[in-house]
Amino acid sequence: MGATILPDLGAEILIPLCAVVGIGFSLLQWLLVSKVQLSPSRSSANSGAAAADKNGYSDYLIEEEEGINGHNVVLKCAEIQSAISEGATSFLFTEYQYVGVFMVVFAILIFVFLGSVEGFSMKGQPCTYDSSKMCKPALATAAFSTISFLLGAVTSVISGFLGMKIATYANARTTLEARKGVGKAFITAFRSGAVMGFLLAANGLLVLFIAINLFKQYYGDDWAGLFEAITGYGLGGSSMALFGRVGGGIYTKAADVGADLVGKVERNIPEDDPRNPAVIADNVGDNVGDIAGMGSDLFGSYAESSCAALVVASISSFGINHELTAMLFPLIVSSVGIIVCLLTTLFATTSAFEIRTVKEIEPALKRQLIISTVLMTIGIAIVCWIAVPSSFTIFNFGTQKVVKNWQLFLCVAVGLWAGLVIGFVTEYYTSNAYSPVQDVADSCRTGAATNVIFGLALGYKSCIIPIFAIAISIFVSFSFAAMYGIAVAALGMLSTIATGLAIDAYGPISDNAGGIAEMAGMSHRIRDRTDALDAAGNTTAAIGKGFAIGSAALVSLALFGAFVSRASISTVDVLTPKVFIGLLVGAMLPYWFSAMTMKSVGSAALKMVEEVRRQFNTIPGLMEGTTKPDYATCVKISTDASIKAMIPPGALVMLTPLIVGIFFGVETLSGVLAGSLVSGVQIAISASNTGGAWDNAKKYIEAGASEHAKTLGPKGSDPHKAAVIGDTIGDPLKDTSGPSLNILIKLMAVESLVFAPFFATHGGLLFKLWNIPNNLDSTTNNLDSSPTTMISLYPHHHNCLSKPFLHSLFSLPPLRSLSLHPATSLSTPLRFQSFSLSLSAAATPQHEPTNPTQLPSSDYCLKIAIIGFGNFGQFLAKTLVSQGHTVLAHSRSNHSNTAKKLGVFFFQDPHDLCEEHPEVILLCTSIISTEQVLYSLPLQRLKRNTLFVDVLSVKEFPKNLLLDVLPPDFDILCTHPMFGPQSAKRSWKGLNFVYDKVRIGEEESRVSRCDKFLDVFAREGCVMVEMSCSEHDLFAAGSQFMTHTVGRVLGMLELESTPINTKGYEALLDLVENTFEDSFDLYYGLFMYNKSALENLERLDLGFEALKKQLFGSLHDVVRKQLFDNGKRKLEILQESSGNGKALGVDKAHVRSEGALQSHGYKTQTLDGTNDCTKLKIAIVGFGNFGQFLAKAMIRQGHTVLAYSRTDYSDVARGMGVSYFSDADDLCEEHPEVILFCTSILSTEKVLRSLPLQRLKRSTLFVDVLSVKEFPRNLFLKYLPSYFDILCTHPMFGPESGKNGWNGLAFVFDRVRVGIDEARVSRCDAFLDIFVQEGCRMVEMSCTEHDWHAAGSQFITHTVGRILEKLGLESTPINTKGYETLLKLVENTAGDSFDLYYGLFMYNVNAMEQLERLDLSFESLKKQLLGRVHRVLRKQLFENAETLPDMREKPTAPKLSQNGTADECSLETVNAQND
């Protein structure tokens, strides 16, 4: 791990600077386009008029050669452009009215659903990915997610609208420029596209950057919560894009299909002929669909890929360590992309690179793609070098994966180059310069049917290489950087979005330019030029759609990964029916969606065809061109049809995740997302490429540019009519259904991610109602009221029937008959792929099966017998049952009722159990009874290759025992789950599971069985650690014994939570909770069967004695100095201190009668943290470790900090921006407003008395931060004159526990004496507000009440921490949660000075009592432990000598005494310790 070369400030400057540069460049391009004048000058001067006709240029115009009135041409172009612009604007305003209603409704849904996750509580919650940390409340996430959704939606709408306005502004100007040559027209069209591309890319980046910085003001260091809320930005962008794409697509294709079918096919008039009533609607559609819709679409892809990467990064080392530059890596990549695209655009828009002929158009556009990709690769390399640490970790489904910066570069680069490959493949299959489109055109010779067949085949074939490109980029990026790699790969594909949008927008602008030329009656040579531009535009549009679809696949997968993590899904197993049905439904959704959109186009086109026919038939002179058609009616038909028709497809996409998540749960929803992704990508690619090929095949015939094309033409020929039909069919495919599908897969994924907390908390209502387990592996179907059938799906891996279902199965009536056909009955399994479907009669009705051998069996699930069905056995059984394994159990105690509830078959007699031939015997006995229980099993009744597994917390002993007792044909697997029912009550994810394959047969079935058992724990998210038994005991046994010893000692103290727990004290409470409930047998086994246990116990004892010696030695020194060094004065001080100590010993009744504890927390009354008048001059007295720690926060908040200390800290102070004084008089003469005492508790009185109080202002506020409060309060009241204010405080944290921020940590304060003047009250509030702004939990509490709660708990915490520190504990590869608690406790306390600890002892009247109680608890535990050893040895020597030889044949259960100790144990058990 390391720092980035680019500082945080550099990143925060670079991103908005690049965005502003992008906006400025787009405005420059718009300015250049605007120089093409669309209104002729009224100047009377001939020279002026001529210049005006040439639009301000002196270039030669075609009209001059052909004698056409240039003045009239410009007027016609302006008129047509105005009509198109008005129609497009009118449609978008109408569409946005409907979309606005949706936006508001869905925003409310987001707030209500996410807010209800925690009941609209404003309390902080454990973070999703790290429950040990506190994050902002769910209600805050709901509010900020709603805000970011609205931000994304508005930005998407603005992006689409601006794109449309730019396109309608430039279309006529491109037409006019075509009079001067194809080069001028190309530059104008491309510049116009660049305006849209750069404006959208820069706006999207800038809005996202601003939103992150604004949200950060609230979230502070809770970056995980911040970026979870930011995901709403992507949801807003994609939801608007969906309606824009669907509505615009329906509009444009309804008009296009209607115009082509009647105009070209029936009336044989040219495309875009002004006599066609649908021609204006057709051109309007190009802008609202291909421009506005496409702009919103690519903006949504950009927003979602950025959000996906940010979410994953926030829970990785970038977010955990608050590395801002690395965190903003996705935005920096986009920023560099803007600069790269700017440089690339110069190769197309400058006169040096102006194209001269039609053949140069497509190469010029391809150069844009190649140049931008090459330059961006260099840019990415630089960004990965300067903005990312050389090594970092990425969240990978519960673990942190180490990634190098060069690996991240490859992730982004592979996405970038995969996009280029997809673009070129798309161009190959859709450009009429290559054989695929020419073959489609040639197929038109035999009619429309063969044209359709060839076109469909082309579309299907065109999926192959793009899918391989996407698959390779997924594999590479996931291998290197997990889901973050996939997200940045998608970002790499979209990093040149400005160039991609420019190329994409260029196509519709050129198409519009050709239409305007035709309607204005301009020369056919101009139309040829615009057609050439349009043909290239169709290809580039297809390339743009390929980019959008490819990036959508990667973005959706990244969002899917984030959803799975946020919904706490450990694995997505496609072989479980809940997931599999989701896959089927998800794969169907793109077909349903496509059907709705295509039918909508067909219905709208039908109305358009009828209207166009009506006008041709009823309007006199329309065909002759003497009468103008009614354009407005056709525009209205397209508008009304598209607005109505866009709602059902939009509702399908938006409601599906909500319905599935709420009623079927997150597992089924994960299947739906995966299915829609896999299916939708294929359909989208084939649909877009099929439509593009048909379109260009038609243009290939119309252009007649080659000998082959001339044989198929001219316009109006039968092959041309067949091509027009193919083009008409392809229009809704390439411009409506295909482009919309990529939004479908993205939008469903990001919507699921946003609502994941709600689905995880409240989802799956139907399964909860029916009490179906999480991993549903079976279902029943009652065909009628009498005959009943059982239908079971057996996956060939992992899962089988769940046991709760088996209970219901055996209560079904018998099956009489089932006829699928009058002459056919089904009685044998029907097999399909990896499943088998079987129907069988139900068993005789009864509450519980008496013979489990009748249960349906499968080769693909395990039958596991748990021996020892106590607390831990039941704990494991729940998971085994939930995963669908057959679970049997045996125990000496009767647990039949518990077993029945869990779906487990309980056997009182081990013979009955073994006769069931379980595949796995799982030993969950206590360590001291394992040998006895093992000898009691009738091994001869088991199959000879049965697998024996133990889960004991020591491993060498059971391994040797199993090898000694079991015949060699039994398999042996020694395991240790490094967790228990308490420490893993939420989840097993990330917890260690250690195993050693001691003896496994070589047969494939035996190896597979062992792997299936281990997979039980792998599927729950355990970290699987293969380790030898001896190595395990070296690491784990000692640490576990130490953990349980400390936990049991503290458990005897009956510690209780206080209102002001420190982190260290909470760690002790957690330790007690995780260990004290475990049986004493477990603890005794850790002692008895671990060779180093006695040594560890002695080390702990010696550590405790050494600490007491150090403590009492310090006390002895103080007393000796008081008695002999300083005489009577020191003795008086000691007596005064004792008096203060007595003040602490207030009985509980007295304290509570005072009501000192305030129920309300601190609230800022007059401060907002921004006004300069709230900035204080604070003098810190005692500038050691803690004083420096507090000073950093004060400096950061803008306060003036002075410092004084007996030790010279001037260099440290200078580096922090603190004014340091070595003379107390000099400090006091600066008149600080606050004197903050950060001295040690032992020196506080001495320092206070040494201060020249007369040099201070009389209203100065004195504040202390000592860990006991009654002593400094009395000291201040005694020595400070009454005109000084006194505030006693205690930050319940220190430099170690508060190093990651103070958010949620308690800060206790007592306003002991504060003047009533407003200024003095305000000053006190201003000081407290320092801690409020850092996120502290403010607790107002009297000093007496504080000492009652805090002093005792703190003393115990520091005592245990210091004892453990003396033992030199070290981390192991397989730490348990309890042992990690001890390590954290040492880390949080060892850094504090001994003076702090000694002060806790010296100035707390209860400390001696606490020390004695701790000592007595430790002695009691040792007595209990060694007492059991003594009893075992005594009985072995004197009472059981004669009966021991018969132990194997007649085992007896040990009798337990009242204190939980065993009265009997086998000789072999004790001998195991001596081996």
Side-chain angles (χ1 to χ4, degrees):
M1 313 295 172
T4 58
I5 296 176
L6 180 67
D8 291 350
L9 180 61
E12 293 194 272
I13 293 174
L14 176 66
I15 295 170
L17 180 63
C18 290
V20 171
V21 168
I23 294 172
F25 185 74
S26 67
L27 294 177
L28 175 63
Q29 298 301 306
W30 174 81
L31 183 64
L32 293 173
V33 172
S34 66
K35 288 187 176 180
V36 181
Q37 299 177 13
L38 200 56
S39 56
S41 173
R42 296 183 179 180
S43 174
S44 57
N46 292 335
S47 60
D53 290 345
K54 297 180 183 182
N55 305 99
Y57 292 95
S58 59
D59 298 26
Y60 172 77
L61 304 180
I62 292 176
E63 281 83 351
E64 295 178 2
E65 179 184 305
E66 300 190 355
I68 298 174
N69 189 330
H71 182 88
N72 292 334
V73 166
V74 175
L75 287 177
K76 285 183 180 180
C77 289
E79 181 184 352
I80 297 166
Q81 185 263 353
S82 177
I84 294 172
S85 179
E86 289 175 6
T89 303
S90 174
F91 168 75
L92 287 184
F93 275 134
T94 305
E95 180 185 61
Y96 291 159
Q97 288 175 7
Y98 286 85
V99 168
V101 174
F102 159 80
M103 193 189 305
V104 172
V105 172
F106 208 75
I108 294 172
L109 276 180
I110 292 173
F111 181 77
V112 172
F113 278 26
L114 295 186
S116 67
V117 170
E118 297 293 340
F120 297 96
S121 170
M122 282 300 294
K123 294 181 180 178
Q125 300 296 328
C127 298
T128 305
Y129 304 97
D130 187 355
S131 58
S132 65
K133 295 181 179 180
M134 296 299 292
C135 290
K136 295 297 183 182
L139 190 63
T141 301
F144 282 96
S145 294
T146 305
I147 294 170
S148 60
F149 166 78
L150 294 173
L151 271 176
V154 171
T155 307
S156 180
V157 165
I158 292 173
S159 298
F161 184 77
L162 289 177
M164 179 276 298
K165 296 302 287 183
I166 292 162
T168 55
Y169 181 83
N171 50 17
R173 287 170 169 79
T174 302
T175 305
L176 294 176
E177 286 295 273
R179 297 180 299 168
K180 305 170 189 172
V182 69
K184 298 290 187 185
F186 173 81
I187 289 177
T188 302
F190 193 83
R191 276 178 176 162
S192 305
V195 175
M196 177 186 177
F198 282 93
L199 203 55
L200 187 147
N203 280 342
L205 175 65
L206 192 59
V207 172
L208 180 57
F209 177 75
I210 292 172
I212 290 172
N213 279 278
L214 290 177
F215 284 18
K216 197 162 61 173
Q217 299 304 310
Y218 171 77
Y219 278 96
D221 290 337
D222 180 13
W223 283 14
L226 188 159
F227 291 105
E228 281 184 6
I230 283 291
T231 55
Y233 186 71
L235 176 60
S238 270
S239 57
M240 297 302 103
L242 173 69
F243 290 107
R245 269 294 197 189
V246 173
I250 294 171
Y251 185 107
T252 181
K253 291 305 113 182
D256 199 1
V257 170
D260 285 353
L261 284 179
V262 180
K264 292 182 181 179
V265 178
E266 295 181 8
R267 295 289 176 169
N268 199 27
I269 60 177
E271 185 173 4
D272 295 320
D273 192 292
R275 294 172 290 177
N276 194 326
V279 68
I280 293 293
D282 185 10
N283 283 277
V284 168
D286 290 337
N287 293 284
V288 299
D290 292 341
I291 296 288
M294 177 265 301
S296 294
D297 180 7
L298 287 182
F299 164 76
S301 290
Y302 162 75
E304 285 164 332
S305 60
S306 300
C307 292
L310 291 169
V311 167
V312 179
S314 68
I315 52 176
S316 304
S317 64
F318 297 161
I320 294 171
N321 300 329
H322 298 96
E323 299 169 4
L324 182 63
T325 299
M327 188 71 216
L328 296 178
F329 173 76
L331 277 66
I332 297 173
V333 169
S334 300
S335 303
V336 173
I338 291 175
I339 304 302
V340 165
C341 292
L342 188 153
L343 298 174
T344 306
T345 303
L346 300 179
F347 288 92
T349 58
T350 55
S351 57
F353 298 96
E354 183 177 335
I355 63 173
R356 305 297 177 188
T357 63
V358 169
K359 293 181 180 179
E360 296 177 15
I361 298 174
E362 281 197 29
L365 295 173
K366 288 165 68 175
R367 275 199 306 273
Q368 287 288 298
L369 292 174
I370 296 171
I371 294 171
S372 63
T373 302
V374 171
L375 291 179
M376 193 62 205
T377 304
I378 300 171
I380 293 169
I382 295 172
V383 170
C384 290
W385 177 47
I386 67 171
V388 179
S390 59
S391 178
F392 53 93
T393 61
I394 290 297
F395 182 83
N396 182 26
F397 298 110
T399 62
Q400 293 287 342
K401 179 182 178 68
V402 178
V403 181
K404 306 292 185 183
N405 57 0
W406 63 266
Q407 293 175 319
L408 189 63
F409 161 71
L410 291 179
C411 293
V412 185
V414 76
L416 176 65
W417 284 91
L420 185 66
V421 170
I422 293 172
F424 279 163
V425 171
T426 302
E427 188 228 6
Y428 174 75
Y429 279 104
T430 57
S431 172
N432 55 29
Y434 302 103
S435 59
V437 172
Q438 293 174 8
D439 291 342
V440 172
D442 192 67
S443 69
C444 295
R445 295 178 186 275
T446 53
T450 51
N451 180 30
V452 171
I453 293 170
F454 270 72
L456 290 173
L458 179 147
Y460 298 152
K461 190 176 180 181
S462 69
C463 294
I464 299 172
I465 297 178
I467 292 301
F468 274 115
I470 293 171
I472 291 171
S473 61
I474 288 172
F475 178 79
V476 172
S477 55
F478 186 85
S479 299
F480 283 142
M483 280 298 172
Y484 186 72
I486 294 175
V488 296
L491 203 64
M493 200 174 283
L494 292 167
S495 58
T496 55
I497 187 174
T499 296
L501 276 168
I503 294 173
D504 213 346
Y506 154 87
I509 292 172
S510 300
D511 192 3
N512 262 209
I516 292 172
E518 186 71 37
M519 287 184 279
M522 299 175 76
S523 167
H524 70 90
R525 292 165 61 189
I526 295 178
R527 183 61 203 244
D528 289 343
R529 292 173 180 173
T530 57
D531 281 349
L533 295 172
D534 186 21
N538 280 331
T539 301
T540 57
I543 292 174
K545 293 182 181 86
F547 268 95
I549 295 167
S551 62
L554 296 178
V555 169
S556 300
L557 185 57
L559 291 169
F560 176 71
F563 161 74
V564 167
S565 297
R566 196 176 181 195
S568 301
I569 303 173
S570 57
T571 56
V572 180
D573 189 350
V574 298
L575 297 182
T576 56
K578 280 173 78 172
V579 177
F580 192 77
I581 61 174
L583 277 174
L584 291 176
V585 172
M588 172 272 297
L589 285 176
Y591 292 95
W592 189 0
F593 179 83
S594 298
M596 295 173 77
T597 53
M598 291 186 71
K599 187 176 180 182
S600 297
V601 171
S603 300
L606 181 62
K607 295 178 183 177
M608 186 67 71
V609 167
E610 291 173 349
E611 173 60 23
V612 174
R613 284 174 179 167
R614 183 194 68 79
Q615 292 196 32
F616 274 122
N617 293 332
T618 60
I619 299 178
L622 184 57
M623 277 300 293
E624 292 76 19
T626 58
T627 306
K628 291 181 66 174
D630 181 7
Y631 297 127
T633 301
C634 293
V635 170
K636 187 176 186 305
I637 288 173
S638 274
T639 300
D640 294 343
S642 58
I643 293 297
K644 292 177 183 177
M646 76 177 182
I647 296 174
L652 172 68
V653 177
M654 299 300 293
L655 295 180
T656 295
L658 294 178
I659 293 172
V660 174
I662 292 171
F663 291 103
F664 298 94
V666 291
E667 289 181 326
T668 304
L669 180 55
S670 65
V672 170
L673 297 179
S676 63
L677 168 60
V678 172
S679 171
V681 171
Q682 324 280 342
I683 301 173
I685 293 174
S686 62
S688 296
N689 290 347
T690 295
W694 276 328
D695 193 357
N696 275 344
K698 178 200 70 175
K699 285 183 167 55
Y700 176 74
I701 295 174
E702 290 176 347
S706 66
E707 292 300 323
H708 176 251
K710 290 177 182 176
T711 62
L712 301 173
K715 292 183 180 180
S717 64
D718 288 340
H720 179 250
K721 290 182 178 179
V724 170
I725 292 173
D727 177 35
T728 305
I729 298 171
D731 277 340
L733 287 174
K734 73 180 177 68
D735 291 325
T736 305
S737 298
S740 301
L741 283 174
N742 69 74
I743 305 177
L744 175 143
I745 59 178
K746 292 184 304 181
L747 182 53
M748 287 177 58
V750 73
E751 184 180 349
S752 301
L753 173 60
V754 170
F755 287 102
F758 177 80
F759 295 152
T761 305
H762 303 298
L765 293 181
L766 290 181
F767 292 142
K768 290 178 182 176
L769 181 65
W770 293 336
N771 196 27
I772 298 176
N774 285 338
N775 291 316
L776 181 64
D777 301 304
S778 58
T779 183
T780 58
N781 181 20
N782 297 328
L783 298 181
D784 55 48
S785 60
S786 181
T788 306
T789 181
M790 185 277 289
I791 303 176
S792 62
L793 282 166
Y794 294 108
H796 283 197
H797 184 61
H798 295 311
N799 285 8
C800 58
L801 285 173
S802 60
K803 300 291 100 52
F805 172 70
L806 288 170
H807 284 290
S808 64
L809 170 66
F810 276 84
S811 64
L812 295 173
L815 175 68
R816 298 176 184 173
S817 64
L818 173 63
S819 296
L820 301 180
H821 188 273
T824 306
S825 65
L826 184 61
S827 60
T828 58
L830 297 177
R831 299 205 175 265
F832 60 97
Q833 293 182 0
S834 63
F835 295 90
S836 64
L837 177 67
S838 63
L839 294 114
S840 60
T844 303
Q846 49 191 330
H847 294 293
E848 181 173 300
T850 58
N851 185 3
T853 57
Q854 298 175 358
L855 294 175
S857 62
S858 170
D859 294 337
Y860 303 99
C861 63
L862 296 174
K863 184 187 285 186
I864 302 171
I866 297 178
I867 307 298
F869 201 57
N871 191 21
F872 196 77
Q874 296 168 22
F875 168 66
L876 295 181
K878 293 176 184 176
T879 297
L880 295 173
V881 169
S882 71
Q883 291 191 15
H885 298 280
T886 303
V887 181
L888 321 177
H890 161 67
S891 190
R892 287 173 296 180
S893 301
N894 186 3
H895 293 291
S896 56
N897 291 331
T898 303
K900 185 184 300 182
K901 294 177 182 178
L902 293 175
V904 173
F905 303 97
F906 187 79
F907 297 83
Q908 194 74 43
D909 190 333
H911 290 264
D912 293 338
L913 177 88
C914 293
E915 286 174 353
E916 295 301 325
H917 289 171
E919 299 168 87
V920 180
I921 298 289
L922 180 59
L923 296 172
C924 294
T925 57
S926 71
I927 193 170
I928 58 176
S929 62
T930 300
E931 182 178 11
Q932 181 181 351
V933 171
L934 187 61
Y935 277 119
S936 72
L937 290 179
L939 302 180
Q940 68 278 8
R941 299 190 184 281
L942 294 169
K943 286 187 176 182
R944 285 173 297 174
N945 64 354
T946 304
L947 172 63
F948 274 74
V949 183
D950 87 283
V951 291
L952 299 183
S953 48
V954 292
K955 296 267 64 73
E956 277 284 279
F957 165 68
K959 182 189 82 168
N960 295 333
L961 183 65
L962 291 172
L963 288 172
D964 289 343
V965 175
L966 296 179
D969 45 9
F970 285 107
D971 288 349
I972 300 173
L973 176 67
C974 287
T975 74
H976 182 201
M978 306 292 290
F979 49 88
Q982 190 63 35
S983 57
K985 59 185 176 183
R986 291 193 183 94
S987 167
W988 300 2
K989 183 184 293 185
L991 302 177
N992 290 323
F993 182 87
V994 185
Y995 65 95
D996 183 8
K997 295 175 180 175
V998 176
R999 185 173 68 200
I1000 305 295
E1002 296 179 356
E1003 293 92 333
E1004 184 179 351
S1005 60
R1006 296 169 76 168
V1007 174
S1008 175
R1009 177 183 61 192
C1010 178
D1011 291 341
K1012 287 175 187 174
F1013 179 81
L1014 293 173
D1015 196 54
V1016 170
F1017 300 88
R1019 293 183 63 205
E1020 295 298 318
C1022 292
V1023 177
M1024 307 300 288
V1025 182
E1026 187 168 9
M1027 178 182 288
S1028 70
C1029 292
S1030 57
E1031 191 177 9
H1032 167 278
D1033 283 1
L1034 178 66
F1035 284 124
S1039 64
Q1040 280 194 288
F1041 177 71
M1042 189 68 67
T1043 302
H1044 280 263
T1045 300
V1046 175
R1048 286 188 168 271
V1049 169
L1050 295 174
M1052 293 177 181
L1053 296 180
E1054 299 180 350
L1055 304 183
E1056 295 181 354
S1057 181
T1058 73
I1060 50 174
N1061 293 344
T1062 61
K1063 277 191 174 182
Y1065 190 62
E1066 287 182 346
L1068 293 187
L1069 295 176
D1070 289 340
L1071 179 64
V1072 173
E1073 183 182 9
N1074 287 335
T1075 58
F1076 201 62
E1077 294 299 322
D1078 292 329
S1079 69
F1080 187 79
D1081 281 353
L1082 168 63
Y1083 175 60
Y1084 175 69
L1086 290 171
F1087 172 73
M1088 194 68 178
Y1089 298 101
N1090 173 20
K1091 297 176 182 178
S1092 62
L1094 190 57
E1095 178 189 347
N1096 285 330
L1097 195 64
E1098 291 173 350
R1099 289 177 62 213
L1100 192 61
D1101 200 359
L1102 290 173
F1104 193 20
E1105 290 301 323
L1107 182 66
K1108 288 193 293 182
K1109 183 177 179 181
Q1110 185 179 9
L1111 203 57
F1112 294 147
S1114 297
L1115 181 60
H1116 176 265
D1117 289 342
V1118 170
V1119 174
R1120 182 176 53 81
K1121 288 180 180 180
Q1122 290 174 342
L1123 291 176
F1124 300 105
D1125 293 355
N1126 295 330
K1128 183 178 178 180
R1129 176 58 195 150
K1130 287 293 183 180
L1131 183 59
E1132 291 175 355
I1133 294 175
L1134 178 61
Q1135 291 170 348
E1136 291 169 1
S1137 298
S1138 300
N1140 290 333
K1142 291 178 182 178
L1144 301 176
V1146 185
D1147 70 53
K1148 293 184 181 180
H1150 175 67
V1151 171
R1152 288 174 182 169
S1153 67
E1154 286 180 345
L1157 176 61
Q1158 302 299 319
S1159 60
H1160 58 82
Y1162 172 73
K1163 296 182 179 178
T1164 305
Q1165 298 172 359
T1166 61
L1167 307 176
D1168 60 5
T1170 58
N1171 196 330
D1172 286 341
C1173 69
T1174 66
K1175 303 308 177 187
L1176 301 172
K1177 181 188 288 188
I1178 303 171
I1180 297 179
V1181 177
F1183 201 57
N1185 191 20
F1186 196 77
Q1188 296 169 25
F1189 169 65
L1190 294 181
K1192 292 176 184 177
M1194 295 172 181
I1195 290 291
R1196 186 169 60 249
Q1197 292 188 22
H1199 298 281
T1200 301
V1201 179
L1202 320 177
Y1204 161 70
S1205 190
R1206 289 173 296 180
T1207 305
D1208 185 9
Y1209 289 110
S1210 56
D1211 292 338
V1212 176
R1214 189 180 305 111
M1216 295 174 60
V1218 173
S1219 301
Y1220 185 80
F1221 297 83
S1222 57
D1223 189 329
D1225 289 86
D1226 293 338
L1227 176 84
C1228 294
E1229 286 176 354
E1230 294 295 324
H1231 289 173
E1233 298 168 87
V1234 179
I1235 299 289
L1236 178 60
F1237 268 76
C1238 294
T1239 57
S1240 71
I1241 195 169
L1242 300 178
S1243 60
T1244 300
E1245 181 177 10
K1246 180 179 179 181
V1247 173
L1248 179 62
R1249 296 180 64 207
S1250 71
L1251 288 180
L1253 302 181
Q1254 69 280 5
R1255 300 189 184 281
L1256 294 170
K1257 286 188 175 180
R1258 286 173 295 173
S1259 62
T1260 303
L1261 171 64
F1262 276 75
V1263 183
D1264 86 285
V1265 289
L1266 299 183
S1267 49
V1268 291
K1269 296 265 64 73
E1270 278 281 277
F1271 167 68
R1273 185 195 70 174
N1274 295 338
L1275 201 62
F1276 280 174
L1277 289 173
K1278 177 179 179 180
Y1279 288 109
L1280 294 179
S1282 58
Y1283 46 73
F1284 286 117
D1285 288 349
I1286 301 172
L1287 175 68
C1288 286
T1289 74
H1290 182 198
M1292 305 295 290
F1293 48 89
E1296 187 62 38
S1297 55
K1299 63 184 177 182
N1300 294 323
W1302 304 354
N1303 192 36
L1305 301 179
F1307 181 87
V1308 184
F1309 63 97
D1310 183 9
R1311 295 184 176 96
V1312 176
R1313 184 174 69 202
V1314 178
I1316 60 174
D1317 298 346
E1318 183 179 351
R1320 297 170 76 168
V1321 172
S1322 176
R1323 177 184 59 193
C1324 179
D1325 289 342
F1327 179 81
L1328 293 173
D1329 195 59
I1330 294 172
F1331 301 88
V1332 173
Q1333 291 192 42
E1334 296 296 322
C1336 290
R1337 179 167 55 88
M1338 307 298 286
V1339 181
E1340 186 165 7
M1341 177 183 289
S1342 72
C1343 294
T1344 305
E1345 186 75 3
H1346 167 278
D1347 283 1
W1348 176 259
H1349 284 301
S1353 64
Q1354 279 193 289
F1355 179 69
I1356 289 291
T1357 302
H1358 281 263
T1359 300
V1360 174
R1362 287 185 173 274
I1363 292 173
L1364 295 174
E1365 180 195 7
K1366 293 180 181 297
L1367 300 183
L1369 301 186
E1370 294 181 355
S1371 181
T1372 74
I1374 48 175
N1375 293 343
T1376 61
K1377 273 193 172 180
Y1379 191 62
E1380 287 183 346
T1381 298
L1382 295 187
L1383 295 176
K1384 288 179 181 177
L1385 178 64
V1386 173
E1387 181 183 2
N1388 286 336
T1389 57
D1392 295 326
S1393 66
F1394 185 78
D1395 281 354
L1396 168 64
Y1397 175 60
Y1398 177 67
L1400 290 172
F1401 172 73
M1402 187 71 177
Y1403 297 99
N1404 175 16
V1405 72
N1406 299 313
M1408 193 67 194
E1409 178 188 350
Q1410 297 282 9
L1411 196 64
E1412 290 172 355
R1413 290 180 64 213
L1414 190 63
D1415 200 359
L1416 289 173
S1417 297
F1418 190 28
E1419 292 300 322
S1420 175
L1421 183 66
K1422 289 192 293 182
K1423 182 178 179 181
Q1424 187 179 8
L1425 202 58
L1426 300 176
R1428 174 173 286 201
V1429 176
H1430 176 264
R1431 282 193 295 273
V1432 169
L1433 292 174
R1434 181 173 53 80
K1435 290 182 181 294
Q1436 288 175 344
L1437 291 173
F1438 300 107
E1439 297 181 18
N1440 295 336
E1442 297 180 0
T1443 61
L1444 283 175
D1446 299 325
M1447 181 66 77
R1448 296 191 182 187
E1449 298 177 6
K1450 298 179 180 179
T1452 57
K1455 296 179 181 179
L1456 300 179
S1457 62
Q1458 291 182 354
N1459 65 358
T1461 60
D1463 292 331
E1464 297 181 12
C1465 190
S1466 64
L1467 179 61
E1468 290 81 3
T1469 303
V1470 179
N1471 290 340
Q1473 193 236 351
N1474 299 325
D1475 292 340

